[in-house]
Amino acid sequence: MNIAVLSRSKGIYSTRRLLEAGQARGHNMQQVDHLKCYVSIEKSNPEIHYEGKKLHHIDAVIPRIGASVTFYGCAIVRQFEMMGIVSCTESQAIVRSRDKLRSMQILSRAGVDMPKTGFARVPKDKSDVIHMVGGTPVVIKLLEGTQGLGVVLAETKKAAESVLDAFYGLKTNILIQEFIKESKGSDVRVFVVDGKVVGAMKRTGREGDFRSNLHRGGTAEAIKLTKQERQTAILAAKSLGLGVAGVDILQSNRGPLVMEVNSSPGLQGIERSTGIDIATKIIQYLEKLSDMKTQNKDRIRV
């Protein structure tokens, strides 16, 4: 197959590994910067152009869309889908996962457990919102934040109200979330591909930081999941329609709680901490999707 990895740079670890894994399985691989793509929308003739030329002979794509360019990146993925090109992650699933509020509403409807979460727009209601999620300490998150940015732990009611006032003053959307003390600054990243758990690591924040993100200086180690943790991660990915997902789970006294589901999870931490070749598993999943597409075409012909 001719496979394009939609990524800003070949130098990114995840992009490089996907290119290597695809080449090792005999595919023609190329990195395509989705921000340099532009589209032609015409009846029955969707096209994508890249660096001054029509982009063709692509059989499948692997989206690696950064959160800051979700709208444009998903538009490009959607154009590939309109052209009948297989994507290992559907554009609509990326959109769902990037909207933290919407994704949590979907997960809640599917029966996935999570920390108690509040969402409000009116500043005068902040005291009730804090009470609604169980009182302080609380975690306050920007809806658009990534990699631990825009996440604040407020230890007291006064501190929480001050942070909320500041965020409301910026007219930005935020979530107020229950703080899971027993997780002790750690979470579990579960990597799900094609409805199966293919790897998991426990991430621990640096001393004094309740955030466990590796980008913030956290550490990671391989972990063996419980049956309930595996089932929770699989259900979370399925609920959002993600064939490839990184599901972030907090280990609590009442069981696994899903904190977030990522549609473009990084490979570096999970591969290095577990020794598992996740990139090849993604390529194999893409091969399966391509085979299914071919089989469906054959059925239509018959």
Side-chain angles (χ1 to χ4, degrees):
M1 284 195 296
N2 295 314
I3 301 175
V5 180
L6 304 182
S7 171
R8 298 301 313 281
S9 170
K10 289 182 181 179
I12 299 171
Y13 178 93
S14 300
T15 303
R16 186 174 73 251
R17 285 288 298 118
L18 289 165
L19 294 171
E20 292 170 351
Q23 290 166 355
R25 291 186 64 81
H27 301 295
N28 296 317
M29 304 293 296
Q30 70 176 111
Q31 173 256 334
V32 172
D33 185 345
H34 41 284
L35 292 190
K36 294 181 180 178
C37 293
Y38 46 102
V39 305
S40 170
I41 303 171
E42 182 183 354
K43 180 182 178 181
S44 304
N45 187 35
E47 291 182 356
I48 295 178
H49 289 242
Y50 181 63
E51 296 184 331
K53 298 179 181 179
K54 181 179 177 181
L55 192 60
H56 55 88
H57 303 310
I58 300 294
D59 301 308
V61 296
I62 303 174
R64 300 290 307 174
I65 309 299
S68 63
V69 293
T70 297
F71 180 84
Y72 194 86
C74 286
I76 299 302
V77 176
R78 191 158 50 246
Q79 190 80 352
F80 276 114
E81 292 168 345
M82 290 172 61
M83 294 164 63
I85 294 170
V86 173
S87 173
C88 73
T89 308
E90 293 183 355
S91 58
Q92 191 57 38
I94 299 174
V95 172
R96 285 191 211 105
S97 69
R98 289 289 164 79
D99 184 334
K100 291 181 183 178
L101 177 60
R102 183 184 180 193
S103 65
M104 298 204 80
Q105 289 172 323
I106 293 171
L107 293 172
S108 174
R109 183 175 61 193
V112 176
D113 204 357
M114 63 191 71
K116 295 176 185 176
T117 302
F119 176 70
R121 185 68 177 175
V122 183
K124 68 179 181 180
D125 292 336
K126 55 184 178 288
S127 180
D128 189 45
V129 173
I130 293 169
H131 174 74
M132 186 171 63
V133 300
T136 55
V138 293
V139 176
I140 302 170
K141 297 180 178 181
L142 288 175
L143 278 179
E144 295 80 14
T146 60
Q147 298 178 354
L149 296 174
V151 180
V152 178
L153 173 63
E155 305 252 10
T156 67
K157 183 179 179 182
K158 184 176 180 180
E161 291 181 346
S162 295
V163 173
L164 290 173
D165 283 337
F167 281 150
Y168 285 138
L170 295 173
K171 300 188 186 309
T172 186
N173 291 316
I174 58 174
L175 294 178
I176 302 94
Q177 204 164 59
E178 171 190 14
F179 177 60
I180 307 302
K181 183 178 179 180
E182 60 268 26
S183 67
K184 299 177 181 178
S186 297
D187 70 7
V188 176
R189 162 63 61 88
V190 185
F191 220 102
V192 178
V193 178
D194 191 19
K196 304 178 187 68
V197 172
V198 296
M201 62 179 174
K202 186 170 185 176
R203 305 182 298 185
T204 302
R206 63 185 179 184
E207 189 173 352
D209 194 342
F210 76 101
R211 300 168 299 178
S212 60
N213 304 74
L214 300 184
H215 291 85
R216 308 259 69 81
T219 59
E221 60 181 347
I223 185 174
K224 185 176 181 180
L225 301 175
T226 66
K227 181 179 179 181
Q228 188 179 11
E229 288 168 345
R230 296 175 72 89
Q231 291 175 337
T232 296
I234 291 169
L235 177 58
K238 181 181 178 181
S239 300
L240 295 176
L242 291 169
V244 176
V247 183
D248 295 341
I249 289 176
L250 293 175
Q251 295 174 308
S252 80
N253 293 335
R254 63 178 189 267
L257 307 176
V258 172
M259 185 171 54
E260 192 172 351
V261 183
N262 299 274
S263 54
S264 295
L267 302 184
Q268 186 170 349
I270 191 76
E271 288 197 335
R272 290 184 176 178
S273 61
T274 65
I276 298 171
D277 184 355
I278 304 291
T280 293
K281 294 184 182 298
I282 294 173
I283 298 296
Q284 290 172 328
Y285 172 55
L286 198 57
E287 292 169 349
K288 177 182 174 181
L289 292 177
S290 180
D291 289 343
M292 291 171 59
K293 177 186 172 184
T294 300
Q295 290 170 7
N296 289 336
K297 281 186 176 180
D298 290 342
R299 291 193 190 100
I300 292 172
R301 290 194 191 100
V302 173

